[in-house]
Amino acid sequence: MTNEIATKSLDFTVLLSSTRRGARLARLLTVAELSSRGLPTETAAQVVGELAANAALHGRVPGRSFRLRVRTADAPGVLRVEVTDTRSERAPDAAQPPYVPPVEAESGRGLLLVAAMSERWGVTYGPLPRKTVWAEIALPVGVVLTGSRSAASRCRTTSSPTNLPSPIRVNEANLTDVQAR
């Protein structure tokens, strides 16, 4: 094993329904994609799960999807998770520490977890009405990115234990077209 990240890159993007099921699928697809490339999955799965759940709960607009993007960041040894939805008026304030709910509260700790598990996180806006909540996760030293095909593209066989549907690959133009409908 080497102490450097290989030059291969990861850029996985999928549109998912703004529902609990879509948030769960975001997490499952992320685990499948990262596992197929030899990357650790636990921290990324938790961060994706929290950000996707927030998009489904707080960023939901009926009939509109959220976009998940997982990629190797510009800095070596960093994995970037981005979740984009269409509710820019309901964005967390990344400049402030995340809200700490009362001890007896049953929810409200998602961004606390994201902040604790990531090197940094934030929110970017645009074009209206979109917002993207992102987090950057440090990869352990010595992790080498392997694999060349998306795990989702290999999950189409009926023998797959998870039987995950194939994701929809999108670009910025397609996302705008889908959200305009």
Side-chain angles (χ1 to χ4, degrees):
M1 208 183 290
T2 66
N3 288 330
E4 299 177 3
I5 298 297
T7 57
K8 295 179 183 178
S9 65
L10 164 70
D11 196 347
F12 173 73
T13 303
V14 64
L15 278 178
L16 297 162
S17 64
S18 293
T19 61
R20 287 182 182 181
R21 186 176 183 184
R24 181 175 180 272
L25 187 56
R27 184 180 174 126
L28 291 172
L29 289 170
T30 299
V31 168
E33 185 69 29
L34 295 180
S35 294
S36 74
R37 293 174 175 266
L39 295 173
T41 62
E42 189 174 324
T43 302
Q46 187 69 35
V47 169
V48 166
E50 296 298 339
L51 295 181
N54 283 349
L57 180 64
H58 304 294
R60 184 172 196 274
V61 173
R64 294 196 177 176
S65 300
F66 71 89
R67 180 184 68 186
L68 166 68
R69 183 177 185 197
V70 179
R71 64 183 178 93
T72 47
D74 298 331
V78 176
L79 188 70
R80 185 173 171 105
V81 173
E82 301 173 351
V83 177
T84 303
D85 64 51
T86 55
R87 294 288 302 267
S88 60
E89 77 279 4
R90 297 195 69 189
D93 185 359
Q96 300 294 321
Y99 167 75
V100 179
V103 174
E104 64 275 0
E106 295 181 9
S107 63
R109 293 175 180 82
L111 287 178
L112 285 171
L113 291 171
V114 170
M117 291 186 283
S118 61
E119 295 298 308
R120 61 190 196 122
W121 71 280
V123 181
T124 54
Y125 298 92
L128 284 176
R130 286 190 282 180
K131 76 169 178 296
T132 300
V133 182
W134 55 268
E136 292 182 346
I137 303 164
L139 294 172
V141 174
V143 170
V144 177
L145 182 62
T146 61
S148 57
R149 284 183 31 214
S150 166
S153 69
R154 293 188 299 268
C155 289
R156 293 185 189 163
T157 64
T158 56
S159 63
S160 171
T162 55
N163 236 359
L164 298 174
S166 62
I168 302 167
R169 299 277 179 190
V170 297
N171 59 34
E172 291 298 319
N174 291 347
L175 182 61
T176 304
D177 293 341
V178 169
Q179 291 174 344
R181 293 182 195 163

